[in-house]
Amino acid sequence: MSDIELSSTDRNSVKSMSKYIEENIRSDETSGIDFIDPRDHEYRLRSRQNHVIYGRRGAGKTTLISQIHDTKDLVSVNIDVEHYKDISFPNIVLHILNDILKKLSVKIDNQCPVWKGHLKANWYNWFTIKSKIKEIENTIMKPDKVPKSVTEKKHSNAELSFGKTISTQASRGQSRQVDEEFVDDKIRDLLRQLSSYKKAITESLRYIGNPDLFIMMDDFYFADKRIQPDLIDYFHRITKNESIYLKVATIKNRSKLYRKDEGHPVGTEIRHDIHDIDMDYTLDDFTSLKNFMESLMDRVAEQSDGSFYNTQGLFAGDGFNTLCLASGGVPRDFLSLYRSCLDNFILRDSTKIGVKQVREIAINRIDDKKKHLQEDATKESEILDAYLNKIVDYVYRKKRRNVFLVAKEELDQFPKSRQAIMELVDLRLIHLIDRNTSKAPSDGRQYEGYMIDVGLYENTKPREFTEVQPGAVDSESRKPKLRSSPDISLPELESKIQHRFSLDPLRVSTDTTTTT
């Protein structure tokens, strides 16, 4: 592998790039790397519409949201749902309501401080919102359900009998005691109070000049999937007929925004109630992915030091392509791998970054991705891990390939396996490389092509191994290596998973209505 001649200034620039990435790779609002937005996501996000922002871990969802700042005409409330991931459904709503009202309370205090006492309306709004905040905080402290009983004396000519009412026999004109038992249900109270919470929000907005309100829910997928439709439904009701808009950032196949309860819709339906913004770069458009990652490298060079621009010159052979493959198209994964490559470049006396070095780093990082599987998939992690192991055993260890095909008709017929594959894609352990291809020799069916992550290789140079590069074509623009890749039978795969979990349908069931 060749070396590159660098001046001492350029070597220091490479060190500065590595240091800059390490300091700014955080997924929070203080990250210093400028948001690169070739698809104009920010422009769409600023529109007066409900949006769900889809992207895998590290795709830049938080960075995109952080581009939205308060202005005279806009108030944004940033809510990290991960902070409330262990909170029950009624309380998670109350916490978010509390965050919204507290932000509006600060706006009122700053724009129209009560101590000036210049308007009675000022006092009214100030006390109204403060009382609502106190009311919510008190409600949060209460149990979700509390049995209660009410005792009262009634006069009646007949015995009362309804619900759980217990009555005593009474003669005409006689007094009798009625004990009524009921449950004080926090969810029921939330629905009953919805209009009053909405009024507190809208009146506060009107008082500070009628700005739009953006409710920004980041990491929405950390909420339990079972309550996600109810959670977004509550706040969608608050937005109805008001200048209030939901901006929800989440992982696509870890999310469920909509369901029907006996024909009754709950949540938000894509392209009807809420519109999607897809931030993912996938390997099926490898040219666009590489262009984006190159612009990301150049931006780091510019912001860290400003004197080094030959970033492509640091790579040898297919080193850069392999780095893009190993990232799976995820910007944060790319930057993390790139930083380690830069460190190796310095330590190895300016040896150019090649395929072997990138694979070595990716293999050493695979445990981090599997850790994310445990964190993000939670209850389904064991099942997804079983799917991953079966796929890797068959494709990589038995067939000695990095790519496999799945028949589209089987993806429709076996929704549990389809869901597992989609979730493994979101978890960056397998990658979509072709949405529509055929098999060689052709069997008349259409297939999707997937690649296992580079980090799942057993070593940097697997023996008797055929690696397919995304987008690779022959002289006649065909994809012979992709089309000759092994296909996975979903009926067999699902049967093996069922057997692995002792034929327990509850263990292997996955929710197949995730995003609509």
Side-chain angles (χ1 to χ4, degrees):
M1 188 176 293
S2 61
D3 296 344
I4 182 172
E5 293 293 332
L6 291 181
S7 66
S8 59
T9 301
D10 284 342
R11 286 177 63 84
N12 287 333
S13 294
V14 173
K15 290 180 180 179
S16 294
M17 287 192 291
S18 174
K19 180 172 178 284
Y20 184 79
I21 293 171
E22 186 170 23
E23 290 176 345
N24 293 284
I25 202 171
R26 301 179 303 274
S27 59
D28 58 34
E29 296 181 10
T30 63
S31 175
I33 300 176
D34 285 348
F35 181 62
I36 299 176
D37 191 19
R39 297 174 178 172
D40 287 332
H41 292 320
E42 183 183 341
Y43 178 80
R44 284 193 62 201
L45 188 65
R46 289 183 181 276
S47 66
R48 304 174 79 192
Q49 179 59 268
N50 296 322
H51 286 112
V52 54
I53 306 147
Y54 287 133
R56 291 167 289 173
R57 262 184 182 255
K61 301 183 297 297
T62 300
T63 306
L64 173 59
I65 285 177
S66 69
Q67 305 306 302
I68 308 298
H69 302 288
D70 287 5
T71 66
K72 179 181 177 182
D73 301 318
L74 171 67
V75 175
S76 64
V77 182
N78 291 352
I79 295 143
D80 189 345
V81 178
E82 184 179 4
H83 292 163
Y84 306 131
K85 64 182 179 181
D86 297 320
I87 306 259
S88 65
F89 167 65
N91 283 335
I92 193 172
V93 173
L94 291 165
H95 277 288
I96 294 172
L97 282 169
N98 205 28
D99 290 342
I100 295 169
L101 291 174
K102 281 185 174 179
K103 176 67 179 280
L104 294 175
S105 175
V106 170
K107 283 289 182 182
I108 292 174
D109 288 345
N110 290 342
Q111 291 184 218
C112 314
V114 173
W115 57 266
K116 288 185 176 180
H118 63 289
L119 285 175
K120 290 183 179 179
N122 190 18
W123 289 90
Y124 172 79
N125 280 276
W126 191 85
F127 281 116
T128 298
I129 199 166
K130 296 294 185 184
S131 64
K132 280 294 179 187
I133 291 171
K134 188 65 175 177
E135 175 186 313
I136 288 172
E137 290 175 345
N138 289 337
T139 306
I140 288 172
M141 300 303 294
K142 297 177 182 178
D144 294 347
K145 291 186 178 183
V146 181
K148 287 191 173 183
S149 62
V150 175
T151 300
E152 54 184 328
K153 291 186 176 182
K154 293 182 178 286
H155 288 82
S156 176
N157 294 329
E159 182 175 345
L160 296 179
S161 177
F162 58 91
K164 292 186 177 180
T165 300
I166 304 171
S167 65
T168 58
Q169 184 65 43
S171 303
R172 181 180 298 273
Q174 287 184 321
S175 175
R176 63 177 179 171
Q177 180 174 299
V178 179
D179 295 325
E180 184 177 357
E181 295 181 0
F182 65 96
V183 173
D184 188 4
D185 190 335
K186 196 182 287 186
I187 294 178
R188 182 191 63 195
D189 290 343
L190 263 180
L191 294 174
R192 190 177 66 247
Q193 292 286 343
L194 189 147
S195 60
S196 68
Y197 292 137
K198 180 173 181 174
K199 183 178 180 181
I201 293 171
T202 55
E203 288 296 322
S204 297
L205 290 171
R206 290 189 183 97
Y207 188 68
I208 59 177
N210 282 315
D212 293 337
L213 175 64
F214 282 10
I215 302 175
M216 323 277 278
M217 296 189 194
D218 197 10
D219 288 340
F220 185 80
Y221 65 94
F222 274 108
D224 191 313
K225 193 187 292 187
R226 292 169 297 181
I227 62 98
Q228 287 177 10
D230 304 277
L231 176 58
I232 200 168
D233 184 85
Y234 193 90
F235 289 97
H236 182 243
R237 294 191 195 190
I238 287 178
T239 69
K240 286 286 186 71
N241 303 316
E242 301 293 343
S243 295
I244 305 173
Y245 305 96
L246 297 175
K247 310 290 180 176
V248 179
T250 191
I251 294 175
K252 188 171 188 177
N253 293 297
R254 298 303 312 157
S255 305
K256 184 177 181 182
L257 306 183
Y258 181 81
R259 72 164 186 268
K260 282 192 174 182
D261 287 343
E262 298 179 355
H264 177 68
V266 177
T268 54
E269 192 171 6
I270 298 294
R271 291 180 293 279
H272 292 277
D273 309 305
I274 196 166
H275 294 259
D276 61 316
I277 295 175
D278 190 350
M279 295 195 66
D280 280 325
Y281 282 86
T282 53
L283 302 182
D284 61 324
D285 187 357
F286 199 47
T287 300
S288 295
L289 186 155
K290 289 193 295 182
N291 290 339
F292 176 77
M293 295 308 176
E294 187 170 1
S295 67
L296 195 57
M297 284 197 311
D298 292 342
R299 186 63 59 88
V300 166
E302 178 185 349
Q303 291 186 303
S304 62
D305 184 279
S307 64
F308 188 81
Y309 294 99
N310 187 26
T311 52
Q312 280 286 0
L314 299 172
F315 294 89
D318 285 330
F320 178 68
N321 282 1
T322 304
L323 180 60
C324 291
L325 285 178
S327 75
V330 177
R332 190 163 71 227
D333 287 352
F334 177 87
L335 288 172
S336 179
L337 292 166
Y338 181 46
R339 184 195 65 77
S340 295
C341 287
L342 293 176
D343 289 345
N344 282 347
F345 178 84
I346 296 297
L347 290 173
R348 297 183 182 184
D349 297 323
S350 302
T351 300
K352 285 189 175 183
I353 302 164
V355 172
K356 182 179 178 181
Q357 287 178 314
V358 175
R359 286 181 178 174
E360 182 179 2
I361 294 168
I363 291 169
N364 289 335
R365 299 283 183 86
I366 195 61
D367 285 344
D368 291 339
K369 288 189 177 182
K370 290 186 175 181
K371 179 183 176 182
H372 293 160
L373 185 152
Q374 301 291 329
E375 294 173 353
D376 293 350
T378 56
K379 295 177 181 178
E380 295 92 5
S381 61
E382 191 177 354
I383 296 164
L384 292 177
D385 190 57
Y387 269 100
L388 178 65
N389 288 335
K390 292 293 182 185
I391 291 171
V392 173
D393 282 343
Y394 178 72
V395 177
Y396 180 80
R397 296 189 178 93
K398 183 177 180 180
K399 294 296 184 179
R400 304 303 291 165
R401 296 289 192 100
N402 69 321
V403 167
F404 63 96
L405 304 175
V406 183
K408 283 177 172 282
E409 64 181 42
E410 290 186 3
L411 288 168
D412 292 334
Q413 294 167 359
F414 295 89
K416 293 186 182 70
S417 293
R418 178 190 64 200
Q419 179 69 14
I421 289 172
M422 289 191 297
E423 293 197 24
L424 289 172
V425 169
D426 278 347
L427 291 162
R428 301 121 61 227
L429 291 162
I430 63 176
H431 310 286
L432 177 68
I433 66 168
D434 201 306
R435 298 176 188 274
N436 193 29
T437 187
S438 58
K439 182 182 175 182
S442 177
D443 59 0
R445 300 198 295 178
Q446 292 301 110
Y447 289 81
E448 292 183 357
Y450 294 88
M451 184 187 82
I452 65 171
D453 189 74
V454 172
L456 293 167
Y457 293 3
E458 59 194 1
N459 55 58
T460 60
K461 196 173 181 179
R463 299 179 62 183
E464 299 177 355
F465 178 70
T466 301
E467 185 175 56
V468 178
Q469 294 284 339
V473 297
D474 61 14
S475 58
E476 298 181 12
S477 298
R478 295 176 301 186
K479 302 176 181 179
K481 284 189 176 181
L482 172 65
R483 294 180 65 239
S484 63
S485 298
D487 62 299
I488 285 185
S489 167
L490 292 193
E492 292 182 16
L493 178 61
E494 196 161 297
S495 176
K496 290 177 181 178
I497 298 298
Q498 290 276 2
H499 181 73
R500 161 73 173 77
F501 289 96
S502 304
L503 300 178
D504 182 353
L506 294 178
R507 288 293 299 280
V508 299
S509 65
T510 55
D511 198 329
T512 59
T513 55
T514 56
T515 61
T516 58

